[in-house]
Amino acid sequence: MIYLAFDYGEKRIGIAVGDSVTRTARGLATVARGDWVAITRLVSAWRPRALIVGLPLDEEGAEQSITAAARRFAAELGERLHLPVHLIDERYSSRAADDWLREARSSGRMTRRVRKGDRDIQAARVILQQWLDVHG
């Protein structure tokens, strides 16, 4: 079973893909916030069983200003694409994405400079990997 995960941001949305067989996630793409054509195209291409959206909470687990926007995005995903949408706590996903990018650059696995969307993609990968580890 294939899943797509979304790291919702004010400008960009990072997207990752993963499956329950290998229980691994990989970064896929970034799209501009509100680009429903690109999101629909990716969902049509991958045909996921469900969609996972990171829920941005502060360090204490409380909601912050972007949390409501992420909830609205998740609700709209479900309405537009007619798929189950699961929310998952995404605390520290951006920090984990930064660590992954830093290590990839220092090890030589990533030879180009880090671009703005790279962090969003890797945060989506972290979100999906966490979900697969629990729900696989």
Side-chain angles (χ1 to χ4, degrees):
M1 291 178 272
I2 294 174
Y3 300 93
L4 288 181
F6 299 84
D7 177 45
Y8 180 83
E10 293 178 342
K11 294 181 182 177
R12 288 177 304 278
I13 299 168
I15 304 171
V17 63
D19 67 84
S20 59
V21 174
T22 63
R23 296 182 74 135
T24 58
R26 68 178 176 88
L28 188 59
T30 57
V31 298
R33 188 185 78 180
D35 188 348
W36 289 103
V37 171
I39 292 170
T40 301
R41 190 175 301 130
L42 285 169
V43 169
S44 294
W46 286 97
R47 301 175 51 134
R49 178 182 181 128
L51 308 173
I52 316 305
V53 176
L55 190 63
L57 303 170
D58 69 15
E59 289 192 16
E60 289 78 37
E63 297 202 4
Q64 48 190 341
S65 60
I66 195 167
T67 307
R71 285 185 187 279
R72 284 190 301 274
F73 171 72
E76 192 167 354
L77 268 176
E79 290 170 16
R80 284 178 178 257
L81 302 171
H82 309 289
L83 287 167
V85 178
H86 304 281
L87 294 167
I88 183 171
D89 181 349
E90 72 163 36
R91 277 182 281 182
Y92 311 112
S93 64
S94 293
R95 194 172 301 158
D98 288 340
D99 291 345
W100 187 91
L101 289 167
R102 195 171 15 266
E103 193 277 325
R105 289 274 295 149
S106 67
S107 71
R109 284 184 298 150
M110 181 180 217
T111 55
R112 64 171 174 75
R113 294 179 65 137
V114 174
R115 298 178 188 135
K116 288 181 180 182
D118 291 340
R119 181 184 200 207
D120 304 312
I121 291 170
Q122 291 308 316
R125 182 191 59 77
V126 169
I127 290 164
L128 184 51
Q129 190 63 59
Q130 289 173 341
W131 194 85
L132 287 169
D133 289 347
V134 173
H135 303 284

PDB file of all heavy atoms in Angstrom, residues 34-52:
ATOM      1  N   GLY A  34      -1.459  25.788  -2.276  1.00  0.00           N
ATOM      2  CA  GLY A  34      -2.631  26.079  -3.094  1.00  0.00           C
ATOM      3  C   GLY A  34      -2.577  25.533  -4.502  1.00  0.00           C
ATOM      4  O   GLY A  34      -3.525  25.719  -5.268  1.00  0.00           O
ATOM      5  N   ASP A  35      -1.494  24.837  -4.876  1.00  0.00           N
ATOM      6  CA  ASP A  35      -1.381  24.283  -6.223  1.00  0.00           C
ATOM      7  C   ASP A  35      -2.079  22.924  -6.272  1.00  0.00           C
ATOM      8  O   ASP A  35      -1.452  21.862  -6.263  1.00  0.00           O
ATOM      9  CB  ASP A  35       0.088  24.157  -6.632  1.00  0.00           C
ATOM     10  CG  ASP A  35       0.260  23.765  -8.090  1.00  0.00           C
ATOM     11  OD1 ASP A  35      -0.738  23.369  -8.739  1.00  0.00           O
ATOM     12  OD2 ASP A  35       1.406  23.836  -8.592  1.00  0.00           O
ATOM     13  N   TRP A  36      -3.393  22.965  -6.339  1.00  0.00           N
ATOM     14  CA  TRP A  36      -4.189  21.743  -6.319  1.00  0.00           C
ATOM     15  C   TRP A  36      -4.024  20.923  -7.587  1.00  0.00           C
ATOM     16  O   TRP A  36      -4.191  19.696  -7.566  1.00  0.00           O
ATOM     17  CB  TRP A  36      -5.657  22.071  -6.055  1.00  0.00           C
ATOM     18  CG  TRP A  36      -5.835  22.509  -4.649  1.00  0.00           C
ATOM     19  CD1 TRP A  36      -6.004  23.784  -4.188  1.00  0.00           C
ATOM     20  CD2 TRP A  36      -5.789  21.677  -3.485  1.00  0.00           C
ATOM     21  NE1 TRP A  36      -6.074  23.794  -2.817  1.00  0.00           N
ATOM     22  CE2 TRP A  36      -5.956  22.504  -2.355  1.00  0.00           C
ATOM     23  CE3 TRP A  36      -5.640  20.315  -3.285  1.00  0.00           C
ATOM     24  CZ2 TRP A  36      -5.962  22.010  -1.059  1.00  0.00           C
ATOM     25  CZ3 TRP A  36      -5.656  19.810  -1.999  1.00  0.00           C
ATOM     26  CH2 TRP A  36      -5.811  20.663  -0.897  1.00  0.00           C
ATOM     27  N   VAL A  37      -3.663  21.555  -8.683  1.00  0.00           N
ATOM     28  CA  VAL A  37      -3.426  20.805  -9.927  1.00  0.00           C
ATOM     29  C   VAL A  37      -2.229  19.872  -9.728  1.00  0.00           C
ATOM     30  O   VAL A  37      -2.295  18.681 -10.049  1.00  0.00           O
ATOM     31  CB  VAL A  37      -3.200  21.760 -11.119  1.00  0.00           C
ATOM     32  CG1 VAL A  37      -2.739  21.011 -12.352  1.00  0.00           C
ATOM     33  CG2 VAL A  37      -4.470  22.554 -11.413  1.00  0.00           C
ATOM     34  N   ALA A  38      -1.131  20.387  -9.180  1.00  0.00           N
ATOM     35  CA  ALA A  38       0.067  19.565  -8.963  1.00  0.00           C
ATOM     36  C   ALA A  38      -0.204  18.476  -7.932  1.00  0.00           C
ATOM     37  O   ALA A  38       0.220  17.326  -8.103  1.00  0.00           O
ATOM     38  CB  ALA A  38       1.231  20.441  -8.531  1.00  0.00           C
ATOM     39  N   ILE A  39      -0.909  18.818  -6.870  1.00  0.00           N
ATOM     40  CA  ILE A  39      -1.220  17.823  -5.835  1.00  0.00           C
ATOM     41  C   ILE A  39      -2.094  16.716  -6.416  1.00  0.00           C
ATOM     42  O   ILE A  39      -1.825  15.525  -6.212  1.00  0.00           O
ATOM     43  CB  ILE A  39      -1.889  18.495  -4.623  1.00  0.00           C
ATOM     44  CG1 ILE A  39      -0.882  19.401  -3.899  1.00  0.00           C
ATOM     45  CG2 ILE A  39      -2.465  17.443  -3.677  1.00  0.00           C
ATOM     46  CD1 ILE A  39      -1.490  20.302  -2.840  1.00  0.00           C
ATOM     47  N   THR A  40      -3.118  17.091  -7.162  1.00  0.00           N
ATOM     48  CA  THR A  40      -4.010  16.108  -7.770  1.00  0.00           C
ATOM     49  C   THR A  40      -3.252  15.222  -8.750  1.00  0.00           C
ATOM     50  O   THR A  40      -3.474  14.003  -8.800  1.00  0.00           O
ATOM     51  CB  THR A  40      -5.188  16.819  -8.468  1.00  0.00           C
ATOM     52  OG1 THR A  40      -5.880  17.603  -7.488  1.00  0.00           O
ATOM     53  CG2 THR A  40      -6.139  15.827  -9.106  1.00  0.00           C
ATOM     54  N   ARG A  41      -2.334  15.813  -9.498  1.00  0.00           N
ATOM     55  CA  ARG A  41      -1.542  15.042 -10.457  1.00  0.00           C
ATOM     56  C   ARG A  41      -0.687  13.992  -9.735  1.00  0.00           C
ATOM     57  O   ARG A  41      -0.625  12.836 -10.159  1.00  0.00           O
ATOM     58  CB  ARG A  41      -0.643  15.992 -11.258  1.00  0.00           C
ATOM     59  CG  ARG A  41       0.035  15.329 -12.435  1.00  0.00           C
ATOM     60  CD  ARG A  41       0.826  16.318 -13.275  1.00  0.00           C
ATOM     61  NE  ARG A  41      -0.042  17.365 -13.790  1.00  0.00           N
ATOM     62  CZ  ARG A  41       0.202  18.674 -13.695  1.00  0.00           C
ATOM     63  NH1 ARG A  41       1.301  19.105 -13.111  1.00  0.00           N
ATOM     64  NH2 ARG A  41      -0.631  19.553 -14.195  1.00  0.00           N
ATOM     65  N   LEU A  42      -0.053  14.383  -8.626  1.00  0.00           N
ATOM     66  CA  LEU A  42       0.766  13.431  -7.870  1.00  0.00           C
ATOM     67  C   LEU A  42      -0.085  12.313  -7.265  1.00  0.00           C
ATOM     68  O   LEU A  42       0.302  11.142  -7.301  1.00  0.00           O
ATOM     69  CB  LEU A  42       1.547  14.156  -6.769  1.00  0.00           C
ATOM     70  CG  LEU A  42       2.747  14.967  -7.247  1.00  0.00           C
ATOM     71  CD1 LEU A  42       3.269  15.859  -6.127  1.00  0.00           C
ATOM     72  CD2 LEU A  42       3.843  14.045  -7.758  1.00  0.00           C
ATOM     73  N   VAL A  43      -1.230  12.672  -6.740  1.00  0.00           N
ATOM     74  CA  VAL A  43      -2.117  11.663  -6.161  1.00  0.00           C
ATOM     75  C   VAL A  43      -2.602  10.713  -7.255  1.00  0.00           C
ATOM     76  O   VAL A  43      -2.644   9.494  -7.053  1.00  0.00           O
ATOM     77  CB  VAL A  43      -3.289  12.319  -5.400  1.00  0.00           C
ATOM     78  CG1 VAL A  43      -4.348  11.305  -5.031  1.00  0.00           C
ATOM     79  CG2 VAL A  43      -2.773  13.029  -4.154  1.00  0.00           C
ATOM     80  N   SER A  44      -2.932  11.222  -8.412  1.00  0.00           N
ATOM     81  CA  SER A  44      -3.368  10.374  -9.527  1.00  0.00           C
ATOM     82  C   SER A  44      -2.245   9.439  -9.989  1.00  0.00           C
ATOM     83  O   SER A  44      -2.490   8.282 -10.315  1.00  0.00           O
ATOM     84  CB  SER A  44      -3.830  11.228 -10.702  1.00  0.00           C
ATOM     85  OG  SER A  44      -4.985  11.946 -10.358  1.00  0.00           O
ATOM     86  N   ALA A  45      -1.025   9.953 -10.012  1.00  0.00           N
ATOM     87  CA  ALA A  45       0.108   9.144 -10.464  1.00  0.00           C
ATOM     88  C   ALA A  45       0.460   8.033  -9.472  1.00  0.00           C
ATOM     89  O   ALA A  45       0.757   6.906  -9.866  1.00  0.00           O
ATOM     90  CB  ALA A  45       1.325  10.033 -10.700  1.00  0.00           C
ATOM     91  N   TRP A  46       0.421   8.330  -8.186  1.00  0.00           N
ATOM     92  CA  TRP A  46       0.853   7.367  -7.166  1.00  0.00           C
ATOM     93  C   TRP A  46      -0.283   6.504  -6.633  1.00  0.00           C
ATOM     94  O   TRP A  46      -0.026   5.442  -6.081  1.00  0.00           O
ATOM     95  CB  TRP A  46       1.557   8.097  -6.014  1.00  0.00           C
ATOM     96  CG  TRP A  46       2.913   8.554  -6.425  1.00  0.00           C
ATOM     97  CD1 TRP A  46       3.270   9.795  -6.862  1.00  0.00           C
ATOM     98  CD2 TRP A  46       4.101   7.755  -6.477  1.00  0.00           C
ATOM     99  NE1 TRP A  46       4.599   9.825  -7.175  1.00  0.00           N
ATOM    100  CE2 TRP A  46       5.134   8.584  -6.948  1.00  0.00           C
ATOM    101  CE3 TRP A  46       4.376   6.438  -6.173  1.00  0.00           C
ATOM    102  CZ2 TRP A  46       6.438   8.125  -7.107  1.00  0.00           C
ATOM    103  CZ3 TRP A  46       5.674   5.980  -6.343  1.00  0.00           C
ATOM    104  CH2 TRP A  46       6.687   6.818  -6.805  1.00  0.00           C
ATOM    105  N   ARG A  47      -1.516   6.973  -6.731  1.00  0.00           N
ATOM    106  CA  ARG A  47      -2.692   6.235  -6.263  1.00  0.00           C
ATOM    107  C   ARG A  47      -2.528   5.718  -4.831  1.00  0.00           C
ATOM    108  O   ARG A  47      -2.616   4.508  -4.578  1.00  0.00           O
ATOM    109  CB  ARG A  47      -3.004   5.106  -7.231  1.00  0.00           C
ATOM    110  CG  ARG A  47      -3.275   5.613  -8.644  1.00  0.00           C
ATOM    111  CD  ARG A  47      -3.460   4.497  -9.600  1.00  0.00           C
ATOM    112  NE  ARG A  47      -4.445   3.564  -9.056  1.00  0.00           N
ATOM    113  CZ  ARG A  47      -5.441   3.039  -9.723  1.00  0.00           C
ATOM    114  NH1 ARG A  47      -5.587   3.322 -10.970  1.00  0.00           N
ATOM    115  NH2 ARG A  47      -6.279   2.207  -9.152  1.00  0.00           N
ATOM    116  N   PRO A  48      -2.305   6.626  -3.891  1.00  0.00           N
ATOM    117  CA  PRO A  48      -2.091   6.195  -2.503  1.00  0.00           C
ATOM    118  C   PRO A  48      -3.369   5.682  -1.854  1.00  0.00           C
ATOM    119  O   PRO A  48      -4.480   6.041  -2.257  1.00  0.00           O
ATOM    120  CB  PRO A  48      -1.627   7.471  -1.810  1.00  0.00           C
ATOM    121  CG  PRO A  48      -2.287   8.562  -2.591  1.00  0.00           C
ATOM    122  CD  PRO A  48      -2.272   8.080  -4.022  1.00  0.00           C
ATOM    123  N   ARG A  49      -3.179   4.871  -0.832  1.00  0.00           N
ATOM    124  CA  ARG A  49      -4.308   4.369  -0.046  1.00  0.00           C
ATOM    125  C   ARG A  49      -4.816   5.446   0.899  1.00  0.00           C
ATOM    126  O   ARG A  49      -6.002   5.521   1.196  1.00  0.00           O
ATOM    127  CB  ARG A  49      -3.879   3.146   0.739  1.00  0.00           C
ATOM    128  CG  ARG A  49      -4.982   2.620   1.613  1.00  0.00           C
ATOM    129  CD  ARG A  49      -4.534   1.439   2.427  1.00  0.00           C
ATOM    130  NE  ARG A  49      -5.642   0.981   3.227  1.00  0.00           N
ATOM    131  CZ  ARG A  49      -6.057  -0.257   3.260  1.00  0.00           C
ATOM    132  NH1 ARG A  49      -5.454  -1.172   2.553  1.00  0.00           N
ATOM    133  NH2 ARG A  49      -7.081  -0.604   4.021  1.00  0.00           N
ATOM    134  N   ALA A  50      -3.894   6.284   1.397  1.00  0.00           N
ATOM    135  CA  ALA A  50      -4.256   7.358   2.326  1.00  0.00           C
ATOM    136  C   ALA A  50      -3.220   8.465   2.228  1.00  0.00           C
ATOM    137  O   ALA A  50      -2.130   8.277   1.684  1.00  0.00           O
ATOM    138  CB  ALA A  50      -4.337   6.823   3.752  1.00  0.00           C
ATOM    139  N   LEU A  51      -3.588   9.603   2.777  1.00  0.00           N
ATOM    140  CA  LEU A  51      -2.718  10.777   2.802  1.00  0.00           C
ATOM    141  C   LEU A  51      -2.406  11.109   4.260  1.00  0.00           C
ATOM    142  O   LEU A  51      -3.278  11.028   5.123  1.00  0.00           O
ATOM    143  CB  LEU A  51      -3.410  11.954   2.120  1.00  0.00           C
ATOM    144  CG  LEU A  51      -3.951  11.664   0.708  1.00  0.00           C
ATOM    145  CD1 LEU A  51      -4.775  12.835   0.200  1.00  0.00           C
ATOM    146  CD2 LEU A  51      -2.821  11.322  -0.244  1.00  0.00           C
ATOM    147  N   ILE A  52      -1.167  11.509   4.505  1.00  0.00           N
ATOM    148  CA  ILE A  52      -0.710  11.831   5.853  1.00  0.00           C
ATOM    149  C   ILE A  52      -0.298  13.294   5.857  1.00  0.00           C
ATOM    150  O   ILE A  52       0.477  13.716   4.999  1.00  0.00           O
ATOM    151  CB  ILE A  52       0.504  10.961   6.258  1.00  0.00           C
ATOM    152  CG1 ILE A  52       0.328   9.492   5.867  1.00  0.00           C
ATOM    153  CG2 ILE A  52       0.840  11.154   7.726  1.00  0.00           C
ATOM    154  CD1 ILE A  52      -0.906   8.818   6.378  1.00  0.00           C
TER     155      ILE A  52
END
